[in-house]
Amino acid sequence: MSLLEAAVETAPIDPWSPVVGQPRAVASLASAVGSPVHAYLLVGPRGSGKRTAAAAFAGELIAAADERAGTEPERAERHRRLAAREEHPDIFVLSPTGNSLRREEEVSQLIVEASRTPVEGTRKVLVVDRFHTATPAAAAALLKPVEEPAATVVWVLLAEQVLPEHVTIASRCTQVDFGPVPDEAVAAALVSEGLAEADRAPLVAAAAAGNLHRARVLAADKRVAARREAWWGAPDRLDGTGAAVAVLVAELREMIDEAGAALTERHRAEMAALEEREARFGARGSGRRDIEAQHRREHRQFRTDEIRFGLATLTVRYREQIPAEPHDPAPDRRAMRAIDRLRATAESLIRSPNEALALQALFLDLPPVAGAVRGR
């Protein structure tokens, strides 16, 4: 390593700078570093920066503990850099490979890690991603380890929501809430990262709906504007017939298929690499089942995100039908009812309904929009 590279590697960094648009959450976590409790629950939607914040928080916890022990400042910076890359030996990150966090495999691994002493520092941090997917059995098995960890252990659980079966374990944690990343912050991040031009970044940010990860993916998608226009214009095509709805839904789903082509291609490349490894070393222990489950989950989530993007676009369209000073209550009621129906459909996506049937039922229930200005 050259002297310049060594200087860059040891230069102080701002560990919180990668966390975009979450000043309250960052302030809460930063204030907890000096005197942390045994467990934290970071709650917020996908793409809100929870995992990035967890990595920064873990690095700060280990660095602060080392600094109190009187170690060199350079070690603290090393802790922060390794934590940011999720490569620190005293930070264990578990992300469920399947659809849910399972007791038999992954929870037992967490419990073993919680019993091990730190390697480099004086503190160990366990980060559990997608904790909202934990089965009731998994949550029950983790209750005691989270509630009564070793003095050197801090748990950080990440969840999109707190489900009823997780309330008990959530009550043992300090909760830190993350909201969707504001569109302005998403757009600024895309521009600063060189992913989108300033004039296109707001469109991508709006399509991402507060999900910074999705925004980075969409930044390279040249068809975002066309898909938004298709959803925006959907109410103009409603005539109350099932035939019109069937054609509309088929076209929208075809656009989603086209948008997912890049993801499908990536999955094919990953499976080809897996098959090559299996041919060379054998199928045992290759992780094929986990990779296939991950691909199915990513594919399903991508389509769900696309539909949420469409529902959000429709919501804006119908909101514009509600004037600031109502003069005709009938159109207002129709628009408000449409917005409620769109919200209900968005909420139903959590239960993974049949995509085509859900969209057909929605459009059969939505009123057409007459005389509205197109575009946006």
Side-chain angles (χ1 to χ4, degrees):
M1 180 183 292
S2 68
L3 291 176
L4 177 59
E5 290 172 329
V8 170
E9 182 67 18
T10 57
I13 62 172
D14 176 8
W16 302 107
S17 60
V19 185
V20 176
Q22 302 291 354
R24 283 192 175 183
V26 166
S28 296
L29 292 172
S31 66
V33 169
S35 183
V37 296
H38 63 285
Y40 293 84
L41 176 63
L42 279 51
V43 181
R46 285 189 335 110
S48 57
K50 300 187 300 297
R51 184 155 170 172
T52 302
F57 184 46
E60 288 300 285
L61 289 173
I62 295 173
D66 251 28
E67 288 171 344
R68 283 195 293 273
T71 57
E72 302 84 355
E74 292 78 9
R75 279 179 57 85
E77 291 303 317
R78 169 180 163 77
H79 291 319
R80 293 185 176 103
R81 293 181 189 281
L82 290 178
R85 300 197 293 261
E86 295 187 353
E87 296 175 357
H88 198 291
D90 293 331
I91 301 173
F92 181 77
V93 181
L94 186 139
S95 183
T97 54
N99 293 330
S100 61
L101 175 62
R102 302 182 295 271
R103 176 180 179 180
E104 297 80 6
E105 304 160 25
E106 293 156 331
V107 172
S108 60
Q109 188 179 11
L110 282 168
I111 293 173
V112 169
E113 288 293 333
S115 67
R116 292 176 175 164
T117 56
V119 176
E120 283 200 11
T122 58
R123 179 172 283 147
K124 188 178 185 72
V125 182
L126 303 180
V127 179
V128 184
D129 198 9
R130 295 174 54 228
F131 179 73
H132 58 278
T133 68
T135 64
L142 280 175
L143 179 58
K144 187 172 179 61
V146 169
E147 187 176 24
E148 301 175 4
T152 57
V153 170
V154 175
W155 289 83
V156 182
L157 312 180
L158 314 180
E160 293 180 18
Q161 56 186 318
V162 179
L163 299 175
E165 56 266 34
H166 300 155
V167 168
T168 301
I169 199 167
S171 68
R172 270 64 170 180
C173 305
T174 295
Q175 182 168 323
V176 180
D177 293 321
F178 285 68
V181 182
D183 286 357
E184 298 78 9
V186 172
L190 293 176
V191 173
S192 67
E193 295 171 14
L195 297 176
E197 299 297 330
D199 59 343
R200 185 169 179 269
L203 168 65
V204 177
N211 183 333
L212 184 58
H213 173 71
R214 175 169 161 78
R216 288 169 174 148
V217 173
L218 291 178
D221 187 344
K222 303 304 183 184
R223 297 282 296 167
V224 174
R227 293 202 302 280
R228 186 177 191 278
E229 178 64 19
W231 284 96
W232 183 271
D236 300 324
R237 300 173 57 183
L238 300 177
D239 60 7
T241 68
V245 166
V247 172
L248 174 60
V249 169
E251 291 179 3
L252 292 173
R253 294 185 70 213
E254 185 177 356
M255 294 188 79
I256 294 175
D257 291 340
E258 293 172 354
L263 179 63
T264 300
E265 190 58 36
R266 194 195 84 195
H267 288 170
R268 286 192 185 127
E270 290 176 355
M271 290 306 297
L274 172 66
E275 288 166 1
E276 183 180 345
R277 290 197 302 271
E278 288 180 340
R280 186 176 302 176
F281 304 111
R284 184 178 178 84
S286 66
R288 173 179 284 271
R289 187 184 68 175
D290 290 340
I291 290 176
E292 290 175 343
Q294 178 182 332
H295 286 176
R296 287 193 297 271
R297 187 180 69 248
E298 289 180 352
H299 182 74
R300 184 171 57 251
Q301 189 60 63
F302 176 85
R303 297 191 71 86
T304 299
D305 285 343
E306 279 291 315
I307 292 173
R308 289 187 188 280
F309 160 48
L311 298 179
T313 301
L314 287 169
T315 299
V316 174
R317 182 83 193 274
Y318 279 102
R319 266 203 197 111
E320 292 193 350
Q321 304 307 299
I322 304 175
E325 298 180 2
H327 52 84
D328 181 1
D332 298 349
R333 284 198 298 270
R334 287 197 296 269
M336 290 167 62
R337 183 176 177 277
I339 292 170
D340 289 340
R341 185 67 175 82
L342 289 163
R343 184 183 302 113
T345 301
E347 291 172 353
S348 75
L349 295 177
I350 297 174
R351 300 186 292 275
S352 300
N354 180 289
E355 181 180 285
L357 291 179
L359 290 177
Q360 287 170 5
L362 169 67
F363 284 116
L364 282 170
D365 206 26
L366 290 181
V369 173
V373 178
R374 288 181 55 86
R376 283 185 70 83

